[in-house]
Short mmCIF file of all heavy atoms in Angstrom, two decimals:
data_model
loop_
_atom_site.label_atom_id
_atom_site.label_comp_id
_atom_site.label_asym_id
_atom_site.label_seq_id
_atom_site.Cartn_x
_atom_site.Cartn_y
_atom_site.Cartn_z
N THR A 1 0.81 -1.22 0.01
CA THR A 1 -0.01 0.00 0.00
C THR A 1 0.83 1.26 0.00
O THR A 1 0.32 2.39 0.06
CB THR A 1 -0.92 0.03 1.24
OG1 THR A 1 -0.14 -0.09 2.43
CG2 THR A 1 -1.92 -1.08 1.20
N VAL A 2 2.17 1.13 -0.08
CA VAL A 2 3.01 2.31 -0.08
C VAL A 2 2.82 3.10 -1.35
O VAL A 2 2.75 4.33 -1.38
CB VAL A 2 4.52 1.91 0.08
CG1 VAL A 2 5.41 3.12 -0.04
CG2 VAL A 2 4.73 1.21 1.42
N SER A 3 2.71 2.39 -2.47
CA SER A 3 2.48 3.05 -3.75
C SER A 3 1.02 2.95 -4.11
O SER A 3 0.53 1.88 -4.55
CB SER A 3 3.34 2.38 -4.84
OG SER A 3 3.04 2.93 -6.09
N GLY A 4 0.26 4.01 -3.92
CA GLY A 4 -1.18 4.00 -4.17
C GLY A 4 -1.48 3.79 -5.67
O GLY A 4 -2.50 3.19 -6.01
N SER A 5 -0.58 4.24 -6.52
CA SER A 5 -0.83 4.14 -7.97
C SER A 5 -0.81 2.72 -8.45
O SER A 5 -1.41 2.37 -9.48
CB SER A 5 0.18 4.98 -8.77
OG SER A 5 1.48 4.48 -8.53
N GLU A 6 -0.12 1.82 -7.73
CA GLU A 6 -0.02 0.42 -8.13
C GLU A 6 -1.01 -0.48 -7.43
O GLU A 6 -1.03 -1.67 -7.69
CB GLU A 6 1.42 -0.10 -7.89
CG GLU A 6 2.49 0.65 -8.70
CD GLU A 6 3.86 0.17 -8.38
OE1 GLU A 6 4.02 -0.74 -7.52
OE2 GLU A 6 4.83 0.68 -8.97
N LEU A 7 -1.81 0.08 -6.56
CA LEU A 7 -2.76 -0.71 -5.78
C LEU A 7 -3.66 -1.54 -6.64
O LEU A 7 -3.78 -2.78 -6.46
CB LEU A 7 -3.59 0.20 -4.87
CG LEU A 7 -4.77 -0.48 -4.11
CD1 LEU A 7 -4.22 -1.52 -3.12
CD2 LEU A 7 -5.57 0.58 -3.37
N PHE A 8 -4.30 -0.93 -7.60
CA PHE A 8 -5.28 -1.67 -8.43
C PHE A 8 -4.60 -2.61 -9.39
O PHE A 8 -5.20 -3.61 -9.82
CB PHE A 8 -6.18 -0.67 -9.16
CG PHE A 8 -7.07 0.11 -8.22
CD1 PHE A 8 -6.79 1.42 -7.91
CD2 PHE A 8 -8.16 -0.52 -7.63
CE1 PHE A 8 -7.60 2.11 -7.03
CE2 PHE A 8 -9.00 0.17 -6.75
CZ PHE A 8 -8.70 1.48 -6.45
N GLU A 9 -3.35 -2.35 -9.75
CA GLU A 9 -2.63 -3.32 -10.56
C GLU A 9 -2.38 -4.61 -9.80
O GLU A 9 -2.37 -5.70 -10.37
CB GLU A 9 -1.28 -2.73 -10.95
CG GLU A 9 -1.39 -1.51 -11.86
CD GLU A 9 -0.05 -0.83 -12.10
OE1 GLU A 9 0.98 -1.50 -11.95
OE2 GLU A 9 -0.04 0.37 -12.42
N GLU A 10 -2.27 -4.51 -8.46
CA GLU A 10 -2.01 -5.70 -7.65
C GLU A 10 -3.30 -6.51 -7.42
O GLU A 10 -3.21 -7.71 -7.15
CB GLU A 10 -1.41 -5.27 -6.29
CG GLU A 10 -0.01 -4.70 -6.41
CD GLU A 10 0.67 -4.72 -5.06
OE1 GLU A 10 0.82 -5.82 -4.48
OE2 GLU A 10 1.11 -3.65 -4.58
N ILE A 11 -4.44 -5.85 -7.45
CA ILE A 11 -5.69 -6.58 -7.13
C ILE A 11 -6.62 -6.72 -8.31
O ILE A 11 -7.74 -7.23 -8.17
CB ILE A 11 -6.44 -5.88 -5.96
CG1 ILE A 11 -6.89 -4.49 -6.38
CG2 ILE A 11 -5.56 -5.85 -4.71
CD1 ILE A 11 -7.78 -3.81 -5.29
N MET A 12 -6.19 -6.31 -9.50
CA MET A 12 -7.10 -6.31 -10.65
C MET A 12 -7.57 -7.72 -11.01
O MET A 12 -8.64 -7.88 -11.64
CB MET A 12 -6.43 -5.64 -11.84
CG MET A 12 -5.21 -6.37 -12.42
SD MET A 12 -4.48 -5.51 -13.83
CE MET A 12 -5.80 -5.63 -15.02
N GLY A 13 -6.85 -8.74 -10.61
CA GLY A 13 -7.23 -10.11 -10.98
C GLY A 13 -8.13 -10.78 -9.95
O GLY A 13 -8.52 -11.94 -10.13
N ILE A 14 -8.53 -10.07 -8.91
CA ILE A 14 -9.32 -10.68 -7.87
C ILE A 14 -10.72 -11.03 -8.39
O ILE A 14 -11.27 -10.32 -9.25
CB ILE A 14 -9.47 -9.72 -6.63
CG1 ILE A 14 -9.95 -10.51 -5.38
CG2 ILE A 14 -10.35 -8.55 -6.93
CD1 ILE A 14 -9.83 -9.70 -4.11
N SER A 15 -11.25 -12.17 -7.94
CA SER A 15 -12.56 -12.68 -8.47
C SER A 15 -13.38 -13.26 -7.38
O SER A 15 -13.00 -13.26 -6.18
CB SER A 15 -12.29 -13.71 -9.56
OG SER A 15 -11.89 -14.94 -8.96
N ASP A 16 -14.51 -13.80 -7.75
CA ASP A 16 -15.42 -14.41 -6.78
C ASP A 16 -14.91 -15.74 -6.22
O ASP A 16 -15.56 -16.31 -5.33
CB ASP A 16 -16.83 -14.61 -7.40
CG ASP A 16 -16.82 -15.47 -8.63
OD1 ASP A 16 -15.75 -16.01 -9.01
OD2 ASP A 16 -17.90 -15.67 -9.22
N GLU A 17 -13.77 -16.18 -6.67
CA GLU A 17 -13.13 -17.37 -6.11
C GLU A 17 -12.13 -17.01 -5.03
O GLU A 17 -11.53 -17.91 -4.41
CB GLU A 17 -12.44 -18.15 -7.18
CG GLU A 17 -13.35 -18.67 -8.27
CD GLU A 17 -12.54 -19.48 -9.32
OE1 GLU A 17 -12.43 -20.71 -9.13
OE2 GLU A 17 -12.09 -18.85 -10.30
N ASP A 18 -11.93 -15.70 -4.80
CA ASP A 18 -10.86 -15.26 -3.92
C ASP A 18 -11.43 -14.61 -2.64
O ASP A 18 -12.62 -14.39 -2.49
CB ASP A 18 -10.00 -14.20 -4.64
CG ASP A 18 -9.43 -14.75 -5.95
OD1 ASP A 18 -9.07 -15.97 -5.96
OD2 ASP A 18 -9.36 -14.00 -6.92
N VAL A 19 -10.50 -14.32 -1.71
CA VAL A 19 -10.89 -13.65 -0.46
C VAL A 19 -9.84 -12.53 -0.23
O VAL A 19 -8.69 -12.68 -0.53
CB VAL A 19 -10.91 -14.64 0.71
CG1 VAL A 19 -9.54 -15.22 0.99
CG2 VAL A 19 -11.47 -13.93 1.96
N MET A 20 -10.34 -11.44 0.34
CA MET A 20 -9.47 -10.35 0.75
C MET A 20 -9.64 -10.16 2.28
O MET A 20 -10.77 -10.03 2.76
CB MET A 20 -9.83 -9.05 0.04
CG MET A 20 -9.00 -7.84 0.55
SD MET A 20 -9.40 -6.29 -0.27
CE MET A 20 -8.52 -6.53 -1.84
N VAL A 21 -8.52 -10.16 2.98
CA VAL A 21 -8.52 -9.79 4.38
C VAL A 21 -8.06 -8.34 4.47
O VAL A 21 -6.91 -8.02 4.14
CB VAL A 21 -7.58 -10.68 5.20
CG1 VAL A 21 -7.67 -10.30 6.69
CG2 VAL A 21 -7.94 -12.17 4.99
N ALA A 22 -8.97 -7.47 4.87
CA ALA A 22 -8.69 -6.03 4.93
C ALA A 22 -8.62 -5.60 6.41
O ALA A 22 -9.57 -5.88 7.18
CB ALA A 22 -9.74 -5.23 4.21
N ILE A 23 -7.54 -4.91 6.75
CA ILE A 23 -7.33 -4.48 8.14
C ILE A 23 -7.23 -2.98 8.17
O ILE A 23 -6.37 -2.41 7.53
CB ILE A 23 -6.04 -5.11 8.73
CG1 ILE A 23 -6.09 -6.64 8.55
CG2 ILE A 23 -5.90 -4.77 10.20
CD1 ILE A 23 -4.75 -7.32 8.82
N SER A 24 -8.11 -2.32 8.94
CA SER A 24 -8.08 -0.87 9.00
C SER A 24 -8.73 -0.37 10.28
O SER A 24 -9.79 -0.87 10.68
CB SER A 24 -8.80 -0.26 7.81
OG SER A 24 -8.60 1.15 7.77
N PHE A 25 -8.06 0.57 10.92
CA PHE A 25 -8.52 1.20 12.15
C PHE A 25 -8.35 2.72 12.03
O PHE A 25 -7.60 3.20 11.21
CB PHE A 25 -7.75 0.64 13.35
CG PHE A 25 -8.05 -0.77 13.66
CD1 PHE A 25 -7.46 -1.81 12.96
CD2 PHE A 25 -8.99 -1.11 14.62
CE1 PHE A 25 -7.78 -3.12 13.19
CE2 PHE A 25 -9.35 -2.43 14.86
CZ PHE A 25 -8.74 -3.42 14.14
N PRO A 26 -9.10 3.49 12.85
CA PRO A 26 -8.97 4.94 12.73
C PRO A 26 -7.53 5.40 12.95
O PRO A 26 -6.85 4.82 13.81
CB PRO A 26 -9.87 5.45 13.87
CG PRO A 26 -10.83 4.33 14.14
CD PRO A 26 -10.08 3.08 13.84
N ARG A 27 -7.07 6.31 12.16
CA ARG A 27 -7.78 6.99 11.07
C ARG A 27 -7.76 6.10 9.84
O ARG A 27 -6.69 5.68 9.43
CB ARG A 27 -7.16 8.34 10.81
CG ARG A 27 -7.19 9.19 12.04
CD ARG A 27 -6.12 10.25 12.09
NE ARG A 27 -6.30 11.31 11.14
CZ ARG A 27 -5.35 12.26 10.93
NH1 ARG A 27 -4.23 12.23 11.59
NH2 ARG A 27 -5.60 13.19 10.05
N TYR A 28 -8.94 5.82 9.27
CA TYR A 28 -9.06 4.80 8.21
C TYR A 28 -8.34 5.23 6.94
O TYR A 28 -8.39 6.39 6.51
CB TYR A 28 -10.54 4.57 7.90
CG TYR A 28 -11.38 4.23 9.07
CD1 TYR A 28 -12.27 5.17 9.63
CD2 TYR A 28 -11.32 2.96 9.68
CE1 TYR A 28 -13.05 4.83 10.72
CE2 TYR A 28 -12.10 2.63 10.77
CZ TYR A 28 -12.97 3.57 11.29
OH TYR A 28 -13.75 3.26 12.38
N SER A 29 -7.67 4.25 6.33
CA SER A 29 -6.93 4.48 5.10
C SER A 29 -7.85 4.42 3.89
O SER A 29 -8.58 3.43 3.73
CB SER A 29 -5.81 3.46 4.95
OG SER A 29 -5.33 3.45 3.61
N LYS A 30 -7.82 5.43 3.04
CA LYS A 30 -8.64 5.45 1.82
C LYS A 30 -8.20 4.33 0.86
O LYS A 30 -9.03 3.80 0.10
CB LYS A 30 -8.58 6.79 1.12
CG LYS A 30 -9.38 7.87 1.85
CD LYS A 30 -9.42 9.15 1.03
CE LYS A 30 -10.28 10.20 1.70
NZ LYS A 30 -10.39 11.45 0.92
N LYS A 31 -6.93 3.98 0.88
CA LYS A 31 -6.45 2.92 0.04
C LYS A 31 -7.13 1.58 0.37
O LYS A 31 -7.54 0.84 -0.52
CB LYS A 31 -4.90 2.75 0.17
CG LYS A 31 -4.11 3.95 -0.34
CD LYS A 31 -2.63 3.74 -0.11
CE LYS A 31 -1.82 4.93 -0.56
NZ LYS A 31 -0.38 4.78 -0.26
N VAL A 32 -7.27 1.31 1.66
CA VAL A 32 -7.91 0.08 2.07
C VAL A 32 -9.41 0.10 1.75
O VAL A 32 -9.97 -0.88 1.27
CB VAL A 32 -7.68 -0.19 3.58
CG1 VAL A 32 -8.39 -1.46 4.03
CG2 VAL A 32 -6.19 -0.31 3.89
N ILE A 33 -10.05 1.25 1.97
CA ILE A 33 -11.45 1.40 1.64
C ILE A 33 -11.70 1.13 0.17
O ILE A 33 -12.62 0.40 -0.23
CB ILE A 33 -11.97 2.81 2.02
CG1 ILE A 33 -11.86 2.99 3.57
CG2 ILE A 33 -13.40 3.01 1.59
CD1 ILE A 33 -12.13 4.41 4.00
N ASN A 34 -10.86 1.73 -0.65
CA ASN A 34 -10.99 1.58 -2.12
C ASN A 34 -10.76 0.12 -2.55
O ASN A 34 -11.44 -0.41 -3.44
CB ASN A 34 -10.02 2.49 -2.87
CG ASN A 34 -10.38 3.97 -2.73
OD1 ASN A 34 -11.54 4.30 -2.47
ND2 ASN A 34 -9.41 4.82 -2.89
N ALA A 35 -9.77 -0.53 -1.91
CA ALA A 35 -9.49 -1.92 -2.25
C ALA A 35 -10.66 -2.83 -1.90
O ALA A 35 -11.00 -3.76 -2.66
CB ALA A 35 -8.23 -2.39 -1.53
N VAL A 36 -11.28 -2.58 -0.75
CA VAL A 36 -12.44 -3.36 -0.34
C VAL A 36 -13.59 -3.20 -1.32
O VAL A 36 -14.24 -4.14 -1.71
CB VAL A 36 -12.87 -2.96 1.12
CG1 VAL A 36 -14.26 -3.54 1.43
CG2 VAL A 36 -11.85 -3.47 2.13
N ASP A 37 -13.84 -1.93 -1.70
CA ASP A 37 -14.93 -1.70 -2.66
C ASP A 37 -14.67 -2.44 -3.98
O ASP A 37 -15.57 -3.03 -4.55
CB ASP A 37 -15.02 -0.20 -2.96
CG ASP A 37 -15.54 0.61 -1.81
OD1 ASP A 37 -16.11 -0.01 -0.86
OD2 ASP A 37 -15.41 1.83 -1.78
N TYR A 38 -13.44 -2.39 -4.45
CA TYR A 38 -13.07 -3.08 -5.70
C TYR A 38 -13.26 -4.58 -5.57
O TYR A 38 -13.80 -5.23 -6.47
CB TYR A 38 -11.62 -2.74 -6.08
CG TYR A 38 -11.19 -3.29 -7.42
CD1 TYR A 38 -11.33 -2.53 -8.56
CD2 TYR A 38 -10.66 -4.57 -7.50
CE1 TYR A 38 -10.97 -3.05 -9.79
CE2 TYR A 38 -10.28 -5.10 -8.74
CZ TYR A 38 -10.41 -4.33 -9.87
OH TYR A 38 -10.07 -4.83 -11.09
N ALA A 39 -12.81 -5.15 -4.47
CA ALA A 39 -12.89 -6.59 -4.25
C ALA A 39 -14.33 -7.06 -4.20
O ALA A 39 -14.71 -8.10 -4.81
CB ALA A 39 -12.18 -6.96 -2.96
N ARG A 40 -15.21 -6.31 -3.52
CA ARG A 40 -16.59 -6.72 -3.42
C ARG A 40 -17.31 -6.59 -4.77
O ARG A 40 -18.12 -7.43 -5.15
CB ARG A 40 -17.34 -5.87 -2.39
CG ARG A 40 -17.01 -6.29 -0.97
CD ARG A 40 -17.37 -7.74 -0.68
NE ARG A 40 -18.80 -8.00 -0.74
CZ ARG A 40 -19.34 -9.09 -1.24
NH1 ARG A 40 -18.58 -10.04 -1.77
NH2 ARG A 40 -20.65 -9.26 -1.23
N ASN A 41 -16.95 -5.54 -5.51
CA ASN A 41 -17.54 -5.40 -6.84
C ASN A 41 -17.13 -6.53 -7.76
O ASN A 41 -17.85 -6.87 -8.71
CB ASN A 41 -17.14 -4.05 -7.47
CG ASN A 41 -17.86 -2.88 -6.82
OD1 ASN A 41 -18.95 -3.03 -6.29
ND2 ASN A 41 -17.23 -1.72 -6.82
N ALA A 42 -15.95 -7.12 -7.50
CA ALA A 42 -15.47 -8.27 -8.29
C ALA A 42 -16.05 -9.58 -7.80
O ALA A 42 -15.80 -10.63 -8.40
CB ALA A 42 -13.94 -8.31 -8.25
N GLY A 43 -16.82 -9.55 -6.69
CA GLY A 43 -17.46 -10.74 -6.17
C GLY A 43 -16.69 -11.49 -5.15
O GLY A 43 -17.12 -12.57 -4.69
#
């Protein structure tokens, strides 16, 4: 998550056969929020 520009390149292959473990506590990271949204939209 250090490089925000490469975040979606790393998760673009996620599908409904996969699982994402997302860890976030205040103050919440937008990178993690965006990754979770992308993963759920991918099923």
Side-chain angles (χ1 to χ4, degrees):
T1 56
V2 176
S3 175
S5 62
E6 296 178 359
L7 172 63
F8 293 104
E9 296 172 23
E10 293 198 57
I11 64 174
M12 65 180 295
I14 197 168
S15 75
D16 58 3
E17 297 180 90
D18 304 323
V19 64
M20 174 180 283
V21 182
I23 306 169
S24 188
F25 290 82
R27 300 155 71 186
Y28 306 106
S29 165
K30 286 188 175 180
K31 293 178 183 177
V32 178
I33 296 170
N34 291 336
V36 167
D37 290 345
Y38 185 91
R40 284 302 294 142
N41 287 333

